[in-house]
Structure formats: C-alpha cells, structure tokens
C-alpha cells in the first residue's frame, strides 16, 4: 500500500481546487467540466459517520466521482485490480478523482467528518459492482462496453 498523489496510471488522483482567502475566511469552488473532468450530475455527502465505520466496498461500471473531506479526515483506499493505493483526505480543497472500474473503500473517519462526493451520473444501483470477484472478472474482459 502506497501513499501518493496518484495511482500509477492516473485512474485515481488528487485534484486541487482554487481557494480565495481573505481575513473573513477561505472560499473554494468547483466547476463541472473545468476543475473536474465531467459535468456534475449529482452531489451527495456522508455525515454522522461513526469513527469505526467502513464505507465503499464497490466499484462502478461508468460513474466517475471526486471525493472530498469537507471537514475532518478519512482514508480512501483504491484498487485497480493490480495496484492498491491509499489517500488521506483532510483538506477541503483537495479531492480524489476516481475513474470507472476502481474498487474503493473508506475508513479511519475522524469524529465529525463530512465527506462530499461529486458524481458524473445520477444514482443507479445497476452501475455498482459490489462483489470483488465480479470486479476482478470484469477487469479481465477489457473489451466489455457499459452504457
Ligand atoms: P453506497 O454508495 O453503498 O455508500 P458508500 O459507498 O458511501 O458506503 O450507498 C449506500 C446506500 O445509499 C445504498 O443503499 C444506495 C443509497 N444511495 C442512494 O440512494 N443515492 C445515492 O446517491 C447514493 C450515493 C447512495
């Protein structure tokens, strides 16, 4: 397990958002198609997360996401079927862009963490791969097309 800014092939990588700081505080903004490489179709957030919670445990066939810790911190582990990489999220202007077909898990939440996720598509349970063996088998069929 390595801690880096990116996985070797860039399939999960840190992105830095702009910040406008003045004595009144910091302001960060994000524009779909500009700071993130897709139009933002959905925003969701996790809160009231118990510190020993383990979330994720799935990949997506098509969905791309960017994951942020707006408050607090947590660990994000990603797995492309070959390489495992971990990111520690604790800066609200820094997110991890996760491509399709990447297994992800989140844990080690600090008390009061708020995790925000920007997503490229509306919620669709059919887009999830929740079984690791199915994920591994899907990677062995690289020509497979998902709508
Ligand atoms: P899930 O994506 O598995 O959460 P996490 O990856 O954070 O552990 O989603 C948990 C539940 O919430 C699951 O029943 C699907 C539902 N859900 C929605 O209804 N809409 C959404 O946008 C999301 C992300 C999840």
């Amino acid at each position: 397990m390595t801690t880096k800014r990116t996985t070797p092939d860039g399939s999960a990588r840190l992105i830095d958002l702009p910040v406008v700081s003045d004595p009144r505080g910091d302001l960060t903004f994000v524009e779909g198609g500009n700071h993130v490489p897709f139009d933002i179709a959905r925003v969701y957030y996790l809160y009231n997360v118990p510190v020993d919670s383990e979330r994720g445990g799935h990949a997506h066939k098509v969905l791309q996401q960017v994951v942020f810790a707006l408050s607090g911190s947590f660990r994000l582990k990603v797995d492309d079927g070959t390489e495992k990489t971990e990111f520690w999220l604790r800066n609200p202007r820094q997110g991890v862009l996760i491509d399709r077909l990447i297994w992800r898990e989140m844990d080690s939440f600090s008390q009061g963490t708020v995790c925000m996720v920007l997503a490229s598509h509306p919620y669709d349970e059919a887009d999830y791969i929740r079984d690791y063996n199915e994920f591994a088998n899907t990677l062995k069929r690289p020509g497979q097309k998902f709508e």
Side-chain angles (χ1 to χ4, degrees), residues 69-87:
L70 289 192
S71 184
S73 61
F74 60 92
R75 176 170 64 171
L76 170 68
K77 296 187 285 185
V78 298
D79 175 359
D80 64 6
T82 306
E83 289 276 343
K84 293 178 170 50
T85 304
E86 69 176 36
F87 297 91

Side-chain angles (χ1 to χ4, degrees), residues 42-44 46 54-58 60 65 104 106 117 121-125 128 130:
R42 176 168 51 116
V43 179
Y44 66 90
L46 309 174
E54 296 179 358
R55 302 208 57 124
H58 53 76
H60 289 277
Q65 295 181 304
R104 83 288 310 273
M106 295 180 292
V117 183
H121 292 76
Y123 171 71
D124 176 11
E125 185 59 36
Y128 281 74
R130 292 191 182 272

